Amino acid sequence: MSKYYLNYLDELESEAIYVLREVWAQFENPVILFSGGKDSIVVTHLARKAFYPSKIPFSLMHVDTGHNFPETIKFRDDLINELGVNLIVGSVQESIDQGRVAEEKGKNATRNALQITTLLDAIEDNKVDCAIGGGRRDEEKARAKERFFSHRDDFGQWDPKNQRPELWNLFNGKHFEGEHFRAFPISNWTEMDVWNYIKRENIQIPSLYFAHEREVVWRNNSWIPNSDYLILEEHEAVVTKKIRFRTLGDITITGGIESDADTVEKIAQEVAAMRQTERGNRSDDKRSETAMEDRKKQGYF
């Protein structure tokens, strides 16, 4: 066998870097959608490698729900300072204040769906023609329908039946005024691939991914973090558990799992034994069978 044989992580990395360079070649003002979660962190790391020794040529765009984990915001700001790149923040609270969206009510209220309007406004205001995301096809059945280059119409909407072919990884980013694309460089990665890559590259991630003591409430078959935004019912009790989060989002809908995995190596071993998708602990995905696809069609990540 050739001494230049690449293992599967090298192949995935090479594919993702190719997609990122194609984005830079075909679009005028692309951005990386940065949530502070592991997938967007890996995409940012790949962009760093793709254009090294130059700085990342993309701005990072964060849609701030106003209900974030404090650890996520600190990690985001520290990384921005380290990279020396531009950060664009779209504020859901500003969208609410301006009457662009209406705050949900009730114990299961979330600002997750409200991000759609804030994201599309930020894309339009900043004249973004391609938003690079960390979506992976193994996450959820709606994600599995995505191409590397995902077209959005002039309303920011996605039509899964009207996507462009990508034979031989040839990408067509041509679009009319007002339209834009989403690009997903790590589409072919699995959750296990992401953790193995984080381990290999020694990528820093938020402490939320590691097992730690936290006040939580049992709801929708998940441990939801206690916060100022959580409305408790009479039968619900706040307890302290050692948990970690497999995926990060709005603090009101991100469920944790009981775990002792406090290192990347232990997380990788734990994930290898999992039989439930990582988004199985996201309460926003439990609202209906097509919750994710419905949001995506409206302009969600």
Side-chain angles (χ1 to χ4, degrees), residues 146-295:
E146 287 280 17
R147 302 285 171 84
F148 283 109
F149 275 27
S150 182
H151 176 263
R152 297 298 197 269
D153 65 20
D154 52 356
F155 293 103
Q157 296 177 329
W158 173 67
D159 181 359
K161 297 180 180 178
N162 188 29
Q163 296 192 81
R164 298 173 181 178
E166 293 180 344
L167 304 176
W168 306 289
N169 277 2
L170 296 175
F171 306 131
N172 179 2
K174 293 182 179 179
H175 58 282
F176 293 107
E177 184 73 24
E179 299 176 343
H180 73 278
F181 273 78
R182 308 287 170 84
F184 300 101
I186 61 171
S187 288
N188 287 334
W189 297 43
T190 66
E191 183 185 10
M192 194 70 200
D193 296 333
V194 169
W195 283 113
N196 284 334
Y197 189 72
I198 288 171
K199 177 182 176 182
R200 189 185 82 170
E201 299 287 303
N202 193 28
I203 300 172
Q204 297 302 305
I205 56 174
S207 59
L208 296 162
Y209 282 110
F210 300 106
H212 59 285
E213 298 282 340
R214 197 179 194 102
E215 289 188 345
V216 290
V217 174
W218 183 250
R219 179 182 292 179
N220 292 330
N221 295 318
S222 297
W223 289 110
I224 303 297
N226 187 30
S227 69
D228 294 338
Y229 316 111
L230 189 66
I231 302 174
L232 294 177
E233 297 219 316
E234 290 184 4
H235 69 277
E236 293 179 327
V238 177
V239 297
T240 300
K241 291 281 186 179
K242 190 173 185 181
I243 64 164
R244 74 173 193 86
F245 299 95
R246 292 177 70 190
T247 178
L248 301 185
D250 189 276
I251 196 171
T252 62
I253 50 89
T254 302
I257 60 171
E258 292 190 69
S259 173
D260 291 315
D262 54 6
T263 66
V264 173
E265 290 80 4
K266 291 179 181 178
I267 291 173
Q269 293 173 5
E270 185 178 81
V271 169
M274 291 286 186
R275 292 297 177 266
Q276 182 185 48
T277 173
E278 65 199 275
R279 293 192 68 94
N281 290 88
R282 291 283 290 267
S283 60
D284 54 326
D285 288 349
K286 299 177 182 180
R287 292 191 170 191
S288 73
E289 282 291 320
T290 60
M292 167 67 84
E293 183 158 337
D294 292 342
R295 294 198 306 275

Side-chain angles (χ1 to χ4, degrees), residues 132-144:
I132 307 164
R136 308 187 325 269
R137 294 188 181 116
D138 78 316
E139 285 183 271
E140 202 270 346
K141 55 190 176 184
R143 296 277 201 216

Side-chain angles (χ1 to χ4, degrees), residues 62-68 89-105 110-119 121-122 228-229 250 252:
H62 179 222
V63 177
D64 182 357
T65 66
H67 292 174
N68 298 287
V89 177
S91 169
V92 172
Q93 185 61 56
E94 288 184 8
S95 298
I96 294 170
D97 294 342
Q98 295 167 4
R100 298 279 294 146
V101 293
E103 185 95 64
E104 289 187 4
K105 306 296 182 183
T110 171
R111 290 185 169 184
N112 204 44
L114 308 188
Q115 295 180 84
I116 297 171
T117 298
T118 304
L119 172 62
D121 286 348
D228 294 338
Y229 316 111
D250 189 276
T252 62

Side-chain angles (χ1 to χ4, degrees), residues 32-44 60-64 68-80 87 115 132-134 195 198 203-209 245-250 254 282 301:
I32 293 175
L33 295 175
F34 188 83
S35 67
K38 66 183 185 309
D39 298 321
S40 62
I41 291 169
V42 165
V43 170
T44 304
L60 269 58
M61 177 181 286
H62 179 222
V63 177
D64 182 357
N68 298 287
F69 287 93
E71 298 95 325
T72 303
I73 298 300
K74 183 180 186 305
F75 185 92
R76 179 201 71 183
D77 293 343
D78 289 346
L79 183 61
I80 290 296
L87 174 66
Q115 295 180 84
I132 307 164
W195 283 113
I198 288 171
I203 300 172
Q204 297 302 305
I205 56 174
S207 59
L208 296 162
Y209 282 110
F245 299 95
R246 292 177 70 190
T247 178
L248 301 185
D250 189 276
T254 302
R282 291 283 290 267
F301 305 137

